[in-house]
Structure formats: C-alpha cells, structure tokens
Amino acid sequence: MKTGNFQLDQSYAPIYEALETFRKMRVVPFDVPGHKRGRGNPELTAFLGQQCVGVDVNSMKPLDNLCHPVSVIQKAEKLAADAFGAAHAFLMVGGTTSSVQSMVLTACKRGEEIILPRNVHKSVINALVLCGAIPVYVNPEVDQRLGISLGMQREQVAKAIAEHPNAVAVLVNNPTYYGICSDLRAIVKMAHDAGMRCLVDEAHGTHFYFGNGLPVSAMAAGADMAAVSMHKSGGSLTQSSLLLVGPNIHAGYVRQIINLTQTTSGSYLLMSSLDISRRNLALRGRDVFHQVADMAEYARQEINAVGGYYAFGRELMNGNSVFDFDTTKLSVHTLDIGLAGIEVYDILRDEYDIQIEFGDIGNILAYLSMGDRAQELERLVSALAEIRRRYQKDGSGLLSQEYIEPEVVTSPQEAFYAEKISLPLEQSEGRVCSEFVMCYPPGIPILAPGERITAEILEHIQYAKEKGCSMTGPEDPEIKQLNVLV
C-alpha cells in the first residue's frame, strides 16, 4: 500500500525484516563480531538483552553491505529517499557529523571557497580541515536580548556571493539549535543562480519533513544536499543519521566520498533503527509532530506566565534573519532571573532529576519530540517556577553573548597542521589558534583553527568554564593551555 504522498510502500522495513528472517535461521556464527550472538559476553547480553545482541551481526549476502548496497540496504535507502522527498538517501552510522562532512567533502576541493555562517557545528569546520576548502563566513545577526545568533540574512548571502563568485557552495544551518530558520528557498535560488550548490545542515530538522505548519524542509526548498539527524527528533538510535541528495548530485560519487571515512562494519542495530524509524515517521509523523508542536506552545505559555523567564517563539520572526521558527523547540532565556542557562541546566538535573538538552550562557533548551508527554512538561514548568522562587538573584555582571564574531587569519586546514606551541590561556591573546574551543552541546566553536584569540574570546572561555559549561576541543583537557601558531 502507498501512504500519504509517497510513491513506495512506506509500511515496508526491509532491513528489519531481513534481520528477523535471519534471527529465525539459527545460523552458526564463524564470523565477527566475536561475542557470537552474545554467548561470549554474558554480561553484555544481560545488559542489552538477547534480542539486541542477537542481531548485532556482520555484513553478509542476505543482509547486504553498507559500503556497496545492492539488496535490503538499497531498498531501505530508496524508501528513505521517497519518505523525505530526495533523489537519493544514504544511511549513515557515524552520526550527522559523518553526514555533514560527506556533504562538504562532496561539494568542495582543496583551495575552493564555501560560503557559510560562522555559527556552524564543528563538523563543518572539521570537514574544511580535511579537504582544505576556504571558508567565507557570513556573520549572523545577533539578538541582543537573547544573546543568540540568528539565521543568514538574504542581503549578507547575496553580498558574499557577489564578492566570491568562484565559491562552489553555500551552507545553511536550518534550523539552528534554538529553532531559528533562514529564508531557505531564497538562499537556494541565490546559490543556484550563481552556479553554486546549496548544502543544509538539517541536524535539528528531521520533523520538518513530516509536520504540518512547520518550516520548509531542505529537499522541499530545492537544496542539493541535507544532513538529517534521525536520532534527534526522528526517534532512531543515537549515532544514526541520513544524508539526503537532490537530483543534480551524482549519487555514485557521494557514495565514494562517504566510503573514504565511514566504517566498513556498519552497525545493523543503527541501520535497522533508521529503517524502523523512517517507517514510523512516514506512517505517523504528521499526527505526532502536530501534537509535539502543540505541547511546546502550551509549555511556552506556562513558562512565560511564571515570570522572569522568556520562552521565545514565532514572535521573533522578522521575515529575514528569523524567517521562520521551529515551534517544537522549547528554548528559554534565563538571565532575567539572574542565572546563566548552564546554572539552570545543572539545578534541573541535580535537584529535580530533569535532564534537558543544554544550557549555555543565557538560555536553556528542552528538546521535545515524539516520546514526550504532557505530565513531564508540567513537571518541567513547576521546577522552573520553583527555581525562580529559590534561586533568583541580581543578574548584573552576567555575560549574555553566545556568539562572538571571529577574526579569521588563515584557513582551518593550514592552522590545524601548522607548527604550533602550547601557551597558558592568559598568554595566548593576539596569537592564532590551531585548535577548537567550544561548549558541547551545542558544539559551535568559540574558537576554530586559524582564528585570532582576542581578549573578549578569552573572557568568554573563562566565564563559560566558571559557570560549568562542558568545554571541549583543545588538546589540554583542563583548557588551561591553548595550541597556537608559532
């Protein structure tokens, strides 16, 4: 049967069904993995369950091969492409990091320019380290009250294209972690009119393909490639992702690029979770995400009624840098109660047993999806009200800016591989950084290789450390030292 507007039978899950058939065959395993369907590792089997370890298997003819699919994986990819409106879809088992890097490596070669916002996930800049492409940054506008970076303004993208006519691609974050969307259709048209490809980091927008009243998806907007985090709002297992491509991208070349870095031992746990989750989204996604958006809107109203907090939404839309807003995102500004977002994040976890997605300098994000229930949102709202009553204080002296405009001195690849020395943090001002510094999540670099270290950046790093942000990137795990160019 066909479902929705799909061309294929979306109730079919070929990888899952092949694994179920395989399970019933009771094949004697003289292959890897070495736990031999769990018998060799009873503690692992007790922890994960026989149902799970019994299908943690190696590639074999009946189960196809992720590096060169010809049967059940190929069918699963065709179903995913149909469900997401893409010309082709690739099952990815290295997370959306792998999808983003494959997308950039497909579009860019050494020395070529790519136009992108600076508030990209580190996986984008990592891809530039690998391939040697040159970033042309479109610095995003910042919402001064919230301290968050917004989307790409049309005029800034047009200016970057006019000043860099030989650039090969434009990359867009859509949506941002906070739910901010750019004018994706307009940016796609500008890129294509200039002979450039448009790539979309759509890690936080899986549900755009299956929601009524949500922002436009990358494929519907005409983008050439999109990296989609199925494990975020799509319900699949952590580390599973999709790479979607449009009709003007050569899928065979993309497969070759993926195979440069992706494992040759693709996990059938991850692949089957993508297969089952795609089916679930195709059959039930529209109803589910309508409910999620309604829950998020209700929570926004309740949190704003508490006072002191600002749960922001579609009222931020301005037709350009906030062209649209993902209403499933529950982002809350906390500085007006005198607490940094990361402080509220820690209190929620340590004192209320509530784990939210992240807290940064000024905001928290509660990530809502198909598994959330109204009673849990009520618990979150009650906890936030109590935190305000117990912990509210004078907010003077708190930093607010999540985004600091960088000074780019050299390319990420040149800086990463250049001769370097390690300096104490306080002695690094004015030098050029050769590594990343970021709070994770969200994984947007405060510093990237090739950028000058300024007093403002050092203040931001020190402040984030003091407030308890989880800092990652540098070689020094305590981030007391930074690697800089000689």
Side-chain angles (χ1 to χ4, degrees):
M1 69 172 186
K2 291 182 181 178
T3 50
N5 298 318
F6 308 121
Q7 299 301 307
L8 302 178
D9 179 3
Q10 288 292 333
S11 64
Y12 179 39
I15 298 174
Y16 158 71
E17 289 165 25
L19 285 170
E20 286 288 33
T21 300
F22 175 79
R23 190 201 301 276
K24 294 168 186 171
M25 290 170 64
R26 302 172 65 86
V27 172
V28 178
F30 287 110
D31 62 350
V32 297
H35 61 66
K36 304 292 179 173
R37 315 290 187 265
R39 290 196 303 272
N41 194 340
E43 293 90 348
L44 180 70
T45 304
F47 180 59
L48 295 180
Q50 182 59 48
Q51 188 83 356
C52 177
V53 295
V55 290
D56 180 35
V57 293
N58 190 30
S59 295
M60 58 189 77
K61 280 190 177 181
L63 297 177
D64 209 355
N65 188 304
L66 183 61
C67 295
H68 188 80
V70 294
S71 59
V72 293
I73 295 174
Q74 184 184 66
K75 290 174 183 175
E77 290 188 335
K78 286 180 177 177
L79 283 160
D82 181 53
F84 284 81
H88 200 97
F90 298 87
L91 305 187
M92 305 294 288
V93 296
T96 307
T97 288
S98 180
S99 298
V100 167
Q101 291 180 346
S102 297
M103 185 166 69
V104 174
L105 294 174
T106 297
C108 303
K109 300 182 181 68
R110 180 174 173 81
E112 293 180 332
E113 291 181 326
I114 177 171
I115 297 166
L116 66 162
R118 172 55 179 75
N119 61 320
V120 290
H121 188 265
K122 74 164 188 172
S123 58
V124 176
I125 302 175
N126 279 345
L128 302 184
V129 169
L130 293 174
C131 72
I134 311 297
V136 174
Y137 290 128
V138 175
N139 286 310
E141 185 184 349
V142 173
D143 183 292
Q144 295 304 320
R145 176 183 175 185
L146 302 176
I148 64 171
S149 48
L150 304 178
M152 295 171 83
Q153 292 179 288
R154 290 184 297 268
E155 305 79 27
Q156 294 281 0
V157 175
K159 182 172 181 285
I161 288 173
E163 291 176 356
H164 299 269
N166 294 322
V168 294
V170 178
L171 185 141
V172 190
N173 291 338
N174 208 74
T176 69
Y177 228 136
Y178 300 98
I180 307 293
C181 295
S182 304
D183 187 352
L184 193 54
R185 282 193 174 96
I187 293 171
V188 168
K189 186 176 188 308
M190 282 190 273
H192 287 172
D193 287 349
M196 302 175 189
R197 289 172 170 166
C198 186
L199 318 178
V200 183
D201 181 348
E202 207 170 23
H204 299 282
T206 305
H207 48 293
F208 287 4
Y209 292 87
F210 307 97
N212 292 314
L214 292 175
V216 67
S217 69
M219 289 295 106
D224 295 291
M225 304 181 79
V228 175
S229 252
M230 278 287 279
H231 70 93
K232 291 189 170 75
S233 59
S236 63
L237 290 178
T238 295
Q239 201 177 303
S240 58
S241 179
L242 292 176
L243 177 58
L244 308 177
V245 302
N248 297 319
I249 299 291
H250 180 34
Y253 180 64
V254 177
R255 178 80 68 194
Q256 288 185 318
I257 293 290
I258 290 170
N259 286 341
L260 289 175
T261 56
Q262 183 158 265
T263 178
T264 54
S265 304
S267 165
Y268 280 87
L269 298 177
L270 297 182
M271 286 189 280
S272 60
S273 84
L274 284 169
D275 201 21
I276 293 166
S277 300
R278 179 271 314 154
R279 178 174 67 178
N280 183 47
L281 290 174
L283 300 181
R284 305 176 191 91
R286 293 199 180 278
D287 291 337
V288 167
F289 289 118
H290 182 74
Q291 294 169 2
V292 172
D294 285 348
M295 280 196 297
E297 194 54 48
Y298 167 76
R300 262 189 288 278
Q301 292 172 10
E302 293 294 300
I303 292 168
N304 287 332
V306 167
Y309 298 103
Y310 174 33
F312 48 91
R314 290 176 65 85
E315 71 280 357
L316 296 182
M317 288 168 54
N318 58 22
N320 197 350
S321 59
V322 189
F323 185 79
D324 209 341
F325 185 81
D326 176 7
T327 53
T328 71
K329 297 286 189 296
L330 184 56
S331 302
V332 184
H333 188 61
T334 65
L335 292 185
D336 292 340
I337 66 164
L339 294 175
I342 187 63
E343 292 175 306
V344 176
Y345 169 98
D346 286 339
I347 294 168
L348 282 168
R349 182 194 61 246
D350 296 342
E351 299 189 27
Y352 295 90
D353 294 329
I354 294 173
Q355 181 63 57
I356 57 172
E357 176 66 11
F358 77 82
D360 62 17
I361 298 298
N363 305 277
I364 58 173
L365 172 67
Y367 208 103
L368 303 191
S369 191
M370 56 184 64
D372 290 297
R373 298 176 298 178
Q375 56 263 44
E376 280 135 7
L377 274 175
E378 297 282 5
R379 187 172 156 192
L380 173 63
V381 173
S382 297
L384 289 173
E386 200 168 302
I387 289 169
R388 184 199 176 200
R389 180 175 58 78
R390 292 174 61 199
Y391 292 101
Q392 184 169 13
K393 59 186 178 184
D394 178 21
S396 58
L398 290 175
L399 289 183
S400 64
Q401 206 80 334
E402 177 258 348
Y403 175 75
I404 301 171
E405 190 171 316
E407 181 190 341
V408 180
V409 179
T410 186
S411 78
Q413 187 183 64
E414 288 174 0
F416 187 84
Y417 290 110
E419 190 176 345
K420 64 202 75 168
I421 56 170
S422 177
L423 288 180
L425 204 59
E426 61 275 10
Q427 293 177 26
S428 64
E429 183 179 345
R431 305 297 288 263
V432 178
C433 194
S434 73
E435 57 187 352
F436 291 94
V437 183
M438 72 203 83
C439 297
Y440 190 87
I444 297 165
I446 301 166
L447 270 174
E451 295 176 359
R452 193 172 304 284
I453 302 164
T454 65
E456 184 185 14
I457 286 169
L458 290 174
E459 180 189 11
H460 189 96
I461 292 170
Q462 199 61 46
Y463 181 84
K465 284 173 64 180
E466 289 168 3
K467 289 296 183 184
C469 288
S470 177
M471 306 289 287
T472 67
E475 196 174 306
D476 173 19
E478 296 183 7
I479 317 186
K480 293 179 179 177
Q481 303 272 130
L482 277 182
N483 288 341
V484 301
L485 302 195
V486 174

